[in-house]
Amino acid sequence: MTKTQEIFKLTAPFDNPFQGNDIRALCVCSVGILRSPTLANVLLKKGGYNVRACGSDINNALIPISANLINWANMIFFINHENFKEALKVFENTPEFDMIKKKAICLN
């Protein structure tokens, strides 16, 4: 199975009670190396957030956006509108497409 095929499989229990009651926030930039981890760190220090960071460029991201992460998140922070559009394009014909639109907050 390729890395690209793996992002569409829902393989993890995303509603794990041991993660606590904090808001689960997914931070998304292009490749998940600078901007999204920085935002994740800001939210973590603010408190009240359980955070993850990933990238919308599924071929080059350190941790690519995936069905597991989308289902896990209560909120998805996209660093910019281009990252949001890229995620929608990747998940266009999947159940996660509507989840992304419902949970998305686009920053610029």
Side-chain angles (χ1 to χ4, degrees):
M1 181 178 302
T2 67
K3 179 179 174 182
T4 303
Q5 292 169 323
E6 287 181 21
I7 68 163
F8 296 107
K9 289 190 158 245
L10 187 57
T11 59
F14 58 86
D15 203 11
N16 184 334
F18 296 107
Q19 291 192 32
N21 296 322
D22 291 342
I23 297 167
R24 295 186 304 262
L26 179 61
C27 303
V28 185
C29 67
S30 297
V31 292
I33 295 175
L34 294 173
R35 296 172 298 159
S36 59
T38 300
L39 176 59
N41 193 36
V42 168
L43 293 174
L44 188 61
K45 288 185 182 212
K46 180 179 179 180
Y49 292 94
N50 181 353
V51 296
R52 304 285 182 274
C54 68
S56 60
D57 181 344
I58 61 170
N59 294 314
N60 297 307
L62 182 63
I63 299 170
I65 192 168
S66 67
N68 285 329
L69 290 171
I70 294 165
N71 280 277
W72 169 84
N74 300 119
M75 303 170 75
I76 305 174
F77 290 93
F78 289 93
I79 298 301
N80 59 41
H81 198 69
E82 288 77 23
N83 301 129
F84 173 67
K85 290 190 300 187
E86 190 170 21
L88 287 177
K89 184 177 177 184
V90 169
F91 288 93
E92 188 171 19
N93 295 312
T94 69
E96 285 73 27
F97 181 83
D98 288 330
M99 283 186 212
I100 291 170
K101 291 195 313 186
K102 180 181 173 188
K103 299 176 182 183
I105 297 170
C106 290
L107 309 172
N108 277 321

